[in-house]
Amino acid sequence: MACHILLFALLALASSRVMASDPSQLQDFCVADLKSPVLVNGFVCKPPMHVTADDFFFSGHDMPGNTSNQLGSKVTQVNVNQIAGLNTLGISLARIDYAPYGLNPPHTHPRATEILTVLEGTLYVGFVTTNTNNGNLLFTKMFKKGDVFVFPEGLIHFQFNYGPTPAVAVAALSSQNPGVITIANAVFGSNPLISDAVLAKAFQVGKDTIKYLQAQFWVDNN
């Protein structure tokens, strides 16, 4: 009897772990119907007879992004909203252009791990761990053309172009819709604003400092 109970417990644990992961594809593809009013976790599928090659295609990733903003960077995303055929496939792409000394500011992707490679230039990159007994650990690296760096899912990370020339990188992300939370924009530019009393207490500064930060224009480089 004890053996049966143990076996049942192990099967239940294994099942729960399987169910906690994304399901495998049940068909060759599920091209997103971006115009459907039906709301699901992702997008409903187009009827296969309405699918064309264009549903798996995007053009223009060779074109530099406009970096003439306060951050000096531009992220050009290619996710399910640009390629409907990415629906349910768990992958997407982004091109990041950096002006000289341009920054892709601290941000997170709540639904994706990111792997980044530099095509041109030199970048200083890094990520910060979640809270640990040793604090929030920072991992950084200077990397150049051809180098690759990984940012684990959900962790705050950044890229900075230290050089006097433009830089270009391409990132692959493990979600059709990875999402992005830019830390400064979310904390100081939310709608409506977070209470200055809350932020003053959290950052241990005066309310005047918080009001100043909330009054700034927080650039979205996506």
Side-chain angles (χ1 to χ4, degrees):
M1 183 66 176
C3 292
H4 291 160
I5 293 174
L6 178 59
L7 178 60
F8 178 79
L10 290 172
L11 288 172
L13 178 60
S15 298
S16 66
R17 291 177 65 86
V18 170
M19 291 175 66
S21 301
D22 289 340
S24 299
Q25 285 284 99
L26 299 178
Q27 62 275 321
D28 290 341
F29 51 78
C30 172
V31 172
D33 184 349
L34 300 176
K35 297 180 180 179
S36 173
V38 179
L39 300 178
V40 297
N41 186 23
F43 295 95
V44 298
C45 307
K46 273 187 181 180
M49 66 286 296
H50 296 166
V51 172
T52 70
D54 285 340
D55 290 315
F56 303 93
F57 177 76
F58 176 86
S59 179
H61 233 217
D62 60 322
M63 301 297 295
N66 183 3
T67 60
S68 59
N69 55 58
Q70 291 167 290
L71 295 171
S73 67
K74 176 61 178 178
V75 179
T76 304
Q77 300 182 54
V78 182
N79 56 42
V80 70
N81 294 295
Q82 287 77 42
I83 301 180
L86 286 174
N87 191 40
T88 74
L89 297 184
I91 193 169
S92 59
L93 192 71
R95 170 182 171 138
I96 309 100
D97 289 275
Y98 310 83
Y101 308 106
L103 172 69
N104 191 15
H107 62 281
T108 74
H109 301 294
R111 296 181 288 275
T113 292
E114 175 181 343
I115 185 166
L116 183 84
T117 185
V118 175
L119 302 183
E120 296 292 342
T122 301
L123 295 176
Y124 171 67
V125 305
F127 67 85
V128 181
T129 67
T130 54
N131 301 354
T132 72
N133 291 335
N134 295 318
N136 300 90
L137 304 179
L138 172 65
F139 294 86
T140 63
K141 191 76 175 175
M142 288 290 299
F143 76 144
K144 60 187 184 303
K145 182 177 179 178
D147 291 343
V148 177
F149 197 81
V150 174
F151 305 105
E153 181 175 341
L155 298 188
I156 295 173
H157 59 283
F158 61 87
Q159 302 110 33
F160 181 59
N161 179 12
Y162 259 135
T165 58
V168 183
V170 169
L173 300 108
S174 62
S175 171
Q176 67 180 44
N177 185 25
V180 60
I181 303 171
T182 307
I183 307 304
N185 301 40
V187 173
F188 299 111
S190 64
N191 183 20
L193 293 173
I194 299 173
S195 165
D196 56 4
V198 171
L199 295 181
K201 186 75 170 179
F203 288 96
Q204 296 293 288
V205 297
K207 289 185 179 180
D208 288 344
T209 300
I210 298 301
K211 290 182 184 296
Y212 170 79
L213 291 169
Q214 290 179 326
Q216 304 309 302
F217 175 69
W218 295 101
V219 174
D220 181 6
N221 67 336
N222 286 268

